[in-house]
Each structure stands twice: as C-alpha cells, then as structure tokens.
Amino acid sequence: MTELTEDTDPYVISTEAGVELLAGAPWKRIAVIGDSISTGIREAVPGYQDLSWVDRISAVLHRIHPDLDEIRLAKRDLTLTEIRQTQLQPALDFRPDLVFLSGGGNDFIRPGFDPVTVRAELTEIVSRVRVTGADILTIGMLDISQAGIVSEKYGEMFSKATRIVTRITREVSQEYGAIFVSFTDHPLCADAGIYCSDRLHLNCRGQAFEATGKMHGLAAHLAARSKAA
C-alpha cells in the first residue's frame, strides 16, 4: 500500500487550494482560544509538514491578507470554565474578526462532568464574541473511540460524552450564529493513523485534515453569507 502524503491525501488541501477556497475572506484579525486541540499538539508524520491546523489556516489567510494579525491564547488541559476565565477577555481585547474555539474535552475526562456547565460556559463565550460582530468557529470533537485507541473499559463513556459536548456545541453555535464544524462522525475518526502516540491528539496528518475541515466550514459560511446578502 502506498503511503499517503499531503499531495495524495484526499482529506487534505494545499495552501494554494485553501487560498482559492477562501478567496475574498474578510478576516484580518484572528484569535485562537481553547484547550490542547486549539494549541495544535502534534507528532511528525512522513509526507506531511510539521504544522498545526492553525499554522495552515494562518498561512492561507496571510496569502489573502498579508497584514493579517493573530493572537494564540489556547493552553492544554483547560476546561471551558478555565478557558472563559483566562482567555476570553484577552481575546476580546485583541478585537478579532474571527475566533477559533475548542473546548469541552477536559470537562468530560475529569470527575463531575456536568453538561449544564458546558452549555453555560459555551453560551457565555460564544455570545460575547458574537455580540462584537466577530465570527467564531466551534467544533464537534472527533469520536476517537472509533479508532480503537481508547480502552474498552472507557470507550463507550468517551463516545457518549463526546457526543453530548458536540450536541451542546452545535446547539449553542446555531443559536448565536457561530460557524460549527463537526468531526465527530467523520470517516477518519476510525483511522488510528491520524492520532499521536498519546492516543488523544492529532498528529501532523490529523492536523492537516483538521485544517482542511475548518477551511471548508469557513468557505461554507462565506457562501451562505453571500447568498443571503
């Protein structure tokens, strides 16, 4: 079997293709908040550049707007409450026109997972970004239990919790007009080749896939906005 590379991976687009996809995108100030998903923790994969998902999207938007400015505030191991408390205001102070958010995974892997708190924190973050007029992109996390990398003992719990957070994130995003991109049931969830050796994060192939999915989400948002205008 031929090993995939960025050039042959059907789930990855190049910078040039990304520029074409997002041509005319208005965003010039981006803020990245959230947990380890947002930070882009990764491991090298032959055939793929050592770039995080945000590195890839930033490169595309820089090509469209050379004066693009950005702030990356995300840190690993944070719950949504901690993200709101430590990152939201600095992000708003930056006055972004596009915010990327991931969160909720650390809420459900810790004892005392409370979906009500997840909804309240997501609502606070998303609504406060949207009231400024900025766009915000949220995600439905990959169900990594499908790849067989979560122990059988915890697989069902992990899948159920992932889907609860995804559902809440989708509902909050729809309520406030956020851009929602779900990876939860994507076919690549079941491909162990996109994950790091820690069995939690995406490697460089997974990062390229995530960037592509988010760019398609941004493009769909722009198309819908143009149609409604």
Side-chain angles (χ1 to χ4, degrees), residues 24-47:
W27 304 294
K28 295 183 178 181
R29 297 180 67 82
I30 62 175
V32 182
I33 62 176
D35 53 24
S36 57
I37 296 175
S38 283
T39 65
I41 292 174
R42 60 195 182 277
E43 291 175 347
V45 175

Side-chain angles (χ1 to χ4, degrees), residues 150-170:
V150 178
S151 69
E152 185 176 344
K153 178 180 178 181
Y154 297 108
E156 184 177 350
M157 178 278 294
F158 207 100
S159 179
K160 182 178 179 181
T162 297
R163 292 168 189 282
I164 289 172
V165 174
T166 291
R167 175 178 54 78
I168 293 171
T169 305
R170 178 187 292 109

Side-chain angles (χ1 to χ4, degrees), residues 96-97 128-135 225:
D97 50 20
R128 287 184 60 188
V129 171
R130 291 295 293 139
V131 78
T132 70
D135 288 309
R225 178 182 289 176

